[in-house]
Amino acid sequence: MFPENMRVLIDEGQIQQRIRVLAKQISADYQGRPLHLICILKGACVFLTDLMRQLDLEISLDFMAVSSYGARKQSSGEVKIVKDLDSSLQDRDVLIVEDVLDTGLTLDYLFRNLLTRCPRSLEMATLLSKPSRRIKPVKAAYVGFEIPDLFVVGYGLDYAEKYRHLPFIGVIENEA
Ligand code: IMP
Ligand code: MG
């Protein structure tokens, strides 16, 4: 199960512990208000399922898929909605759940797009953030871990659709 050339950056225990802290903060911030979670597919699905089970709130869910990377490691700078939401955001407290905030191009685009749908409030939660990579100044209200400029996989994150199932965040080393 453990791939060759893989170094663990953040282990399973650290991820779960951090998620419990984030969930407490989110539960306190939205206390008494229903929260509508938007999971950005596919990468954020693992984070979403662990996070939402720790939230002490009335929750509803929706999913959105965007493409920005394809099978390459660099952002194309182009964001396309591949699957749009099923329900309206009108007057709802909305939290976008994302795997990693890298250049910020994806979340900057999504944030502006979702704002036009008149939510009551709109915030973002991201498991990972790479501040040194930022092109767009996106601010996420909830950040799991700030990491250096590394391409990471696991816990939902892929490289060419591989490694999403790994329970930890890892770095592929000396890739051929
Ligand atoms: P951004 O638009 O550059 O912020 O990129 C965000 C998207 O790029 C994420 O939703 C991921 O799908 C992908 N991405 C960015 N960095 C990584 C990484 O280190 N590993 C895997 N996917 C990444
Ligand atoms: Mg991806």
Side-chain angles (χ1 to χ4, degrees):
M1 155 97 164
F2 196 92
E4 269 179 67
N5 304 332
M6 186 75 72
R7 174 167 67 86
V8 176
L9 185 68
I10 307 170
D11 70 29
E12 207 177 338
Q14 291 172 289
I15 296 172
Q16 296 307 327
Q17 196 177 6
R18 184 70 186 128
I19 287 176
R20 279 195 291 275
V21 173
L22 288 179
K24 272 212 180 94
Q25 278 175 21
I26 296 169
S27 301
D29 292 350
Y30 290 91
Q31 200 184 12
R33 290 187 282 159
L35 181 61
H36 190 58
L37 299 175
I38 295 180
C39 174
I40 309 303
L41 295 171
K42 306 171 191 164
C45 69
V46 182
F47 177 41
L48 170 87
T49 55
D50 279 345
L51 180 70
M52 71 178 185
R53 282 178 289 177
Q54 299 284 336
L55 292 175
D56 186 15
L57 296 168
E58 187 185 316
I59 291 296
S60 53
L61 266 191
D62 207 342
F63 295 88
M64 194 164 189
V66 297
S67 79
S68 54
Y69 270 66
R72 284 165 298 131
K73 281 188 177 180
Q74 311 97 298
S75 175
S76 60
E78 202 185 299
V79 182
K80 235 183 16 207
I81 295 180
V82 176
K83 184 227 171 284
D84 208 338
L85 299 173
D86 292 334
S87 54
S88 157
L89 300 185
Q90 181 98 39
D91 295 329
R92 291 173 123 163
D93 288 306
V94 176
L95 182 63
I96 303 170
V97 180
E98 174 63 307
D99 53 1
V100 53
L101 182 49
D102 186 34
T103 63
L105 290 167
T106 306
L107 278 180
D108 177 66
Y109 170 85
L110 272 180
F111 196 82
R112 286 183 293 109
N113 181 293
L114 299 184
L115 265 186
T116 67
R117 308 182 191 197
C118 305
R120 172 133 74 111
S121 68
L122 182 62
E123 296 292 348
M124 316 185 212
T126 182
L127 179 68
L128 305 174
S129 172
K130 302 183 205 173
S132 67
R133 294 263 307 158
R134 211 77 87 238
I135 293 172
K136 295 279 185 183
V138 174
K139 191 88 187 77
Y142 309 97
V143 177
F145 302 91
E146 290 202 341
I147 61 168
D149 181 6
L150 291 169
F151 192 85
V152 293
V153 297
Y155 200 76
L157 292 133
D158 72 306
Y159 173 52
E161 293 301 325
K162 290 195 293 185
Y163 310 118
R164 290 194 197 276
H165 64 296
L166 300 175
F168 56 84
I169 301 286
V171 180
I172 307 163
E173 296 200 303
N174 26 298
E175 194 202 329

